[in-house]
Amino acid sequence: MSKYALHLGDTLSQISQTFNTTAQGKIAKNNTKNPNSIMTGTFFVANDNLSNTDTIKINGKIEDTKQSKTNDCWLLSGVNALRETDWGRQIISEAILKTTDGNVEVNLKGANKKIKVTKNEIIEAKKTGLYAQGDDDMIALEIAVNKHKNDIKPQSKEERERNGLAINYGEGEEVMYLLTGRKSSVKSLDPQRVKKDRVKTSSLDVENTLERKLKDNDSIAITCGFAGFKNKIEIDGILLSPGHAYSIKRIEKDTSGKTWVILIDPNNSAKELKVSQDKFVEKLDKLDALESPNEAPLKEKELKFNFKNLKNLN
């Protein structure tokens, strides 16, 4: 560990050169209006090896994240859908607990399993580029679900090298089920999806679900995907990817009475994507809707989710 002591009389130019490989140094350098300004008051010691990959922050909350190299959009979108509701945020906070030894315990209620994720596992995961950027709680969830999926179907060394992490495939309702222990209502308008997963619904059914989200955003958590294969889909000037999972942040109406769907792409959950509801429904492949635990229970016929029929989403 290298340590540098700053002394009274040091100029900002000297400080920025001393810390040229550290966040502190960059801040000093970028904010130096007068490089000959002299330090007159504070002594401090800094560590040039300290970075955001050497520590973890676990608080039971999901901040904005960006999907990395792993095709786990389904996982990120499912969690993002939950975080848009009060009850979902409560479930997340109860699922991710920092233990007294500095590690993390992830409670996968749907699997009736508590999984230990160590501090070092999170630190190493942040360095690989395979896990989400921006929030250590999300990384803890990714690691835990990856362990769970490996427990269900262990991968050989060759499979791991070929396929990467076990969370490279899945669907939004899977992670919502793992965290809540409750199944989603799966709705699809795509003929191929209907044929493959035996899920059939109508545009009116989808619109009714979106209407509920409009009236009470907290009533339901929703993930969705769009029909197609390789080509991007354009809706109201926004390009959306087929075979990619999104979450719905909210539904809103403008002053003219037009209804809009506000989407979140796991590639950047800080950015809202606004598309008209009519075109959204027209291009929709699949919608996974998880009711608030305060809502009336779903009818058995609506529980269409089948873990054997997972479609790869990235």
Side-chain angles (χ1 to χ4, degrees):
M1 179 186 295
S2 299
K3 294 183 178 180
Y4 304 100
L6 303 187
H7 305 284
L8 293 176
D10 284 352
T11 67
L12 291 180
S13 177
Q14 291 170 327
I15 293 171
S16 65
Q17 290 174 14
T18 300
F19 294 110
N20 62 353
T21 60
T22 66
Q24 292 95 329
K26 292 177 182 177
I27 292 171
K29 190 173 183 178
N30 291 338
N31 289 280
T32 300
K33 294 182 178 179
N34 181 358
N36 295 317
S37 298
I38 295 176
M39 180 178 171
T40 59
T42 305
F43 289 98
F44 63 91
V45 176
N47 174 12
D48 67 333
N49 292 319
L50 183 62
S51 72
N52 67 340
T53 60
D54 296 318
T55 59
I56 67 170
K57 176 187 175 183
I58 298 294
N59 58 11
K61 298 178 182 179
I62 299 297
E63 312 296 341
D64 290 326
T65 56
K66 293 182 179 180
Q67 182 180 348
S68 294
K69 297 177 183 178
T70 299
N71 297 329
D72 64 341
C73 61
W74 61 276
L75 189 156
L76 304 184
S77 289
V79 175
N80 286 335
L82 288 173
R83 81 164 182 164
E84 296 305 331
T85 67
D86 289 337
W87 55 271
R89 288 189 289 273
Q90 181 64 31
I91 286 170
I92 290 169
S93 70
E94 293 172 354
I96 309 170
L97 301 175
K98 191 169 185 178
T99 55
T100 55
D101 59 3
N103 297 313
V104 181
E105 181 181 85
V106 177
N107 182 14
L108 299 181
K109 188 181 295 185
N112 194 27
K113 184 187 297 184
K114 293 182 179 179
I115 297 178
K116 179 180 179 180
V117 178
T118 69
K119 175 183 177 181
N120 285 339
E121 284 179 311
I122 296 174
I123 290 173
E124 290 306 310
K126 291 162 73 171
K127 297 175 182 178
T128 65
L130 297 176
Y131 295 84
Q133 302 172 21
D135 186 79
D136 292 348
D137 291 86
M138 185 71 92
I139 294 175
L141 281 175
E142 288 178 296
I143 294 172
V145 174
N146 191 66
K147 288 183 177 183
H148 167 66
K149 290 174 78 73
N150 273 323
D151 287 344
I152 294 175
K153 185 180 179 181
Q155 290 184 314
S156 66
K157 180 180 178 181
E158 292 74 19
E159 287 175 323
R160 287 196 300 272
E161 291 175 350
R162 182 175 66 249
N163 302 327
L165 300 177
I167 53 174
N168 254 321
Y169 63 91
E171 299 208 23
E173 73 267 30
E174 181 183 2
V175 70
M176 291 196 290
Y177 175 79
L178 287 174
L179 289 173
T180 68
R182 299 171 57 248
K183 294 183 179 181
S184 301
S185 174
V186 181
K187 307 175 189 298
S188 180
L189 301 175
D190 181 64
Q192 293 300 317
R193 169 75 69 172
V194 170
K195 181 179 179 181
K196 178 178 181 293
D197 291 350
R198 300 183 298 281
V199 176
K200 189 174 183 180
T201 188
S202 67
S203 58
L204 179 60
D205 191 19
V206 170
E207 289 166 0
N208 286 340
T209 301
L210 299 177
E211 180 70 17
R212 289 182 58 194
K213 185 76 171 171
L214 170 65
K215 291 180 178 179
D216 181 6
N217 190 63
D218 206 54
S219 66
I220 195 165
I222 305 175
T223 65
C224 60
F226 298 95
F229 295 96
K230 295 182 179 180
N231 297 328
K232 294 269 188 178
I233 299 165
E234 183 177 346
I235 303 180
D236 300 312
I238 294 175
L239 292 177
L240 302 170
S241 301
H244 184 62
Y246 297 82
S247 57
I248 294 181
K249 184 169 186 176
R250 65 182 182 277
I251 311 293
E252 60 184 36
K253 276 190 177 182
D254 61 23
T255 54
S256 70
K258 187 171 183 177
T259 306
W260 299 86
V261 179
I262 311 303
L263 297 171
I264 296 297
D265 185 340
N267 284 317
N268 183 1
S269 68
K271 183 179 180 181
E272 296 182 355
L273 305 176
K274 186 175 181 179
V275 298
S276 57
Q277 180 174 302
D278 54 346
K279 293 181 181 177
F280 169 87
V281 173
E282 178 185 331
K283 299 294 186 181
L284 183 68
D285 166 27
K286 179 171 174 285
L287 183 149
D288 306 322
L290 180 64
E291 306 274 347
S292 161
N294 301 319
E295 296 291 313
L298 290 172
K299 296 178 182 179
E300 187 63 30
K301 66 179 182 179
E302 292 183 277
L303 302 180
K304 302 291 187 179
F305 178 59
N306 185 340
F307 281 98
K308 294 181 181 179
N309 292 330
L310 291 177
K311 177 181 178 182
N312 289 350
L313 292 176
N314 57 31

